[in-house]
Each structure stands twice: as C-alpha cells, then as structure tokens.
C-alpha cells in the first residue's frame, strides 16, 4: 500500500514566540503518524518582512534538523527546508513566505504547496496541539474516509478572564459526539482530503482575506457539494487567548465581525436571487439586535451577568448581520487602516492593505 503524503500547515503572522514553542510539538505530532503516512510540517509566513524565517531556521538547527538548504525564492524570502530524525523517522520541515496580506492568501498558499499531497491539516500559530491530536484526526479519516475532520478547540487564557468575558461564552469550544457529522468547521483545526478538494475545485475566497469567515465559506461549500465533515473528540488543540483579547470590547468586536461574515457566507452560497435574501437577513439582524439589547438591559438590572453577557454578544452580532447584508466587510486581519470596507463593482473602499 502506498503511504499517503500528509502536510501539517501552520499559518503565521508575527507570532514568533508562539511559533518557536509549537514547532517541536508539530514535529512530534507528525512522527506519531509516520508509521502510516509520509508527514511533513509546513510553515506559511504571512509577514511581509518574513519575520518567521529565523525562527524556522533556528528550529532546524536547534532540533537536530539535517540536510538544511534553501529552495526557490518566494516573495522577498527564500524558502527553507530540512529534515529531522525522530526515533529513526525522518520528518520534513518547510518554510515558505507568502507576502500577500490576508489569511486567505496564506491558506491558498498552503493548498498550493500541498498540491501533490493526499492530506492537508491546518493549525494556527496561536494554537497548541494536545497529545494525540493528529493521530485522532487521521484515525477518524481512515475509519470513515470523509472529506474533512475537525475537533475541539478549547481556550487557553493567559490569565483568568474577567467574569463578563467568561460568561459570554465567546471562547467556548463547540462539541459533538465522536464521529458525528458537522455542517462546517474552523480551519484552525481541520484535516482535508485533498482528492475531494481538488475534485470540487475548492479554494479559499480572496474576498474574505482581511475579514475572516473564509473557513466557514470553504467548509460550507464543501458540505453543500456533498462532502462530509466528521468530528474527532480526541483531536484537541488549545487556543491561546492573550490578555488583550479577553476583554468585553474585543469580544463585542468579534461578535460584530462574525455576524457580518455569517450573513455574507450564506448570501455567497445562495443559489438564487440574492437581493431578497439580503433584505431578509438585514431585517432578521435588526430584530435580533433590538430584542437582545432589551433582554441584555433587563438581565443587567436583575444582576444576571451570564444572561447579560450572552444577550449583549448576540445583539452585537445582530448589528453585524445588518452590515453583512449590506455587503460591508468588517476587517479583522487587515494591516493598519479602517476596519470597514464596502465592496462595490469589484473594488474596495474604506481601507488599505
């Protein structure tokens, strides 16, 4: 039997301390499935200054990597590759630079780098794989031969969050039964069967490059085309939450952006006239925003912090739905500039990359 080729892709943007800590863990995860597949680790650096390259080079040197060399020039930085011996297993590590801003450019670069591979596993640079993570993803895929596998992503707070943030549920990890079929998934913890992806011609949509929501669109397109996504309870990655994100203001901004992208994904995957759909979602979002604002105010008067936080998050998400229905894009991953952009006739206004 031919061993499938598996790539673990980590996208990174100026989180070098996280990257430095997680690279050895990814190598160990790769080694855990090397008896069945030919695994490698791929780092896609989305920093225009290629700041992650020294981190990867240091990992190649410090972790005992051999055969280190440089490949073709990618953007402003040369690609780098090497291998490490882990208990007699040789695990590859590759660095590539993707200077085009936005998470979509990085994810599509990973697809391009894995064009001849069988499986692609995404993990983000603020996540830590728990023991058995990759083995659980692979085991679920081998058992069911599904199009994709995802798993839990619990929060790892840098310090205890404020009561409002904890009560909001914004960082709760969603759960399902092991092997359950799910409708969509985050790409921060996702295995893809690349034969299915290639057959369907799927790519991450550049319109979502600076706003987020590209993973929801991609996996929704996958399932609408007949692909099945399964849940693996043992495939756990912990998502680091720094102090500056564990705030009420950040959570409400994220809810606003999420509401916007939720509507945009559904409009973009609609197979019918879209204007009535936009009007319906705008009305639904406005009603949700107003009703939950009132409910949140009532909960605050009662001293019910849990209900208050959840209603306030829901209300802000409703406002985001209204904005998304108007095709106004709320930027989350953009370079310095405005956070709102209106897409008109193929051009963007209200921000810069």
């Amino acid at each position: 039997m031919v061993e499938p080729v598996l790539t673990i892709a980590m996208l990174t943007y100026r989180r070098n301390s996280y990257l430095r800590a997680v690279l050895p863990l990814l190598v160990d995860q790769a080694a855990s499935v090397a008896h069945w597949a030919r695994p490698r680790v791929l780092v896609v650096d989305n920093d225009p200054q290629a700041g992650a390259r020294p981190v990867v080079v240091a990992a190649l040197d410090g972790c005992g990597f051999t055969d280190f060399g440089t490949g073709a020039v990618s953007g402003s930085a040369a690609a780098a590759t090497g291998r490490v011996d882990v208990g007699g297993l040789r695990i590859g590590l590759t660095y590539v630079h993707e200077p085009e801003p936005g998470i979509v450019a990085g994810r599509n670069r990973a697809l391009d780098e894995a064009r001849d591979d069988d499986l692609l596993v995404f993990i983000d640079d603020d996540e830590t794989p728990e023991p058995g993570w990759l083995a659980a993803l692979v085991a679920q895929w081998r058992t069911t031969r599904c199009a994709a596998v995802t798993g839990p992503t619990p929060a790892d707070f840098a310090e205890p969050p404020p009561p409002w943030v904890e009560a909001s549920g914004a960082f709760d990890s969603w759960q399902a039964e092991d092997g359950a079929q799910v409708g969509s998934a985050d790409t921060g913890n996702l295995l893809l069967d690349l034969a299915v992806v290639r057959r369907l011609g799927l790519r991450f949509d550049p319109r979502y490059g600076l706003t987020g929501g590209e993973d929801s669109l991609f996996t929704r397109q996958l399932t609408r085309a007949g692909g099945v996504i399964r849940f693996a309870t043992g495939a756990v990655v912990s998502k680091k939450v720094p102090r500056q994100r564990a705030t009420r203001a950040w959570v409400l901004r994220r809810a606003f952006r999420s509401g916007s992208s939720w509507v945009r994904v559904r409009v973009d995957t609609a197979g019918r006239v879209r204007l009535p759909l936009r009007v319906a979602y705008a009305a639904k979002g406005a009603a949700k925003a107003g009703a939950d604002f009132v409910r949140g105010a009532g909960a605050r008067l009662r001293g019910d912090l849990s209900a208050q936080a959840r209603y306030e998050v829901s209300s802000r998400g409703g406002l985001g739905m209204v904005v998304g229905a108007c095709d106004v894009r709320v930027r989350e991953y953009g370079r310095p500039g405005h956070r709102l952009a209106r897409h008109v006739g193929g051009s963007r206004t209200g921000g810069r990359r």
Side-chain angles (χ1 to χ4, degrees), residues 18-85:
Y18 285 170
L19 180 63
R20 188 175 296 109
V22 80
L23 276 178
L25 302 180
L26 294 181
V27 171
D28 288 342
Q29 293 279 343
S32 73
V33 300
H35 63 285
W36 170 82
R38 287 184 288 154
R40 65 164 176 153
V41 176
L42 169 69
V43 176
V44 180
D45 186 5
N46 201 214
D47 178 6
Q49 304 304 315
R53 192 177 193 278
V55 176
V56 178
V57 170
L60 286 164
D61 293 338
C63 294
F65 277 80
T66 59
D67 302 329
F68 171 67
T70 58
V73 171
S74 166
S76 61
T81 188
R83 293 184 180 274
V84 67
D85 183 272

Side-chain angles (χ1 to χ4, degrees), residues 8-21:
I8 306 170
M10 170 164 280
L11 278 60
T12 187
Y13 175 72
R14 295 181 178 176
R15 282 179 174 152
N16 290 347
S17 60
Y18 285 170
L19 180 63
R20 188 175 296 109

Side-chain angles (χ1 to χ4, degrees), residues 262-263 266-267 276-286 321-322 325:
W262 186 91
V263 168
R266 278 148 185 82
V267 170
L277 195 60
R278 290 187 185 279
V279 172
Y281 277 130
K284 181 178 180 179
M321 290 175 63
V322 175

Side-chain angles (χ1 to χ4, degrees), residues 188-253:
N189 184 7
L190 184 67
L191 176 148
L192 292 171
D193 185 325
L194 291 178
V196 177
V197 171
R198 287 190 286 264
R199 175 169 56 81
L200 297 177
L202 293 179
R203 301 278 290 177
F204 291 94
D205 194 323
R207 294 173 299 171
Y208 290 75
L210 301 178
T211 65
E214 82 294 338
D215 45 4
S216 296
L217 179 62
F218 184 95
T219 55
R220 184 173 170 85
Q221 290 172 328
L222 176 65
T223 56
R224 286 173 68 89
V228 173
I229 305 174
R230 299 284 180 185
F231 195 83
T233 56
V236 181
V237 295
S238 299
K239 193 171 189 69
K240 295 182 181 295
V241 182
R243 180 179 55 84
Q244 59 269 30
R245 285 195 173 193
T247 66
R248 181 176 181 272
W250 190 92
V251 168
L252 292 177
R253 285 197 301 270

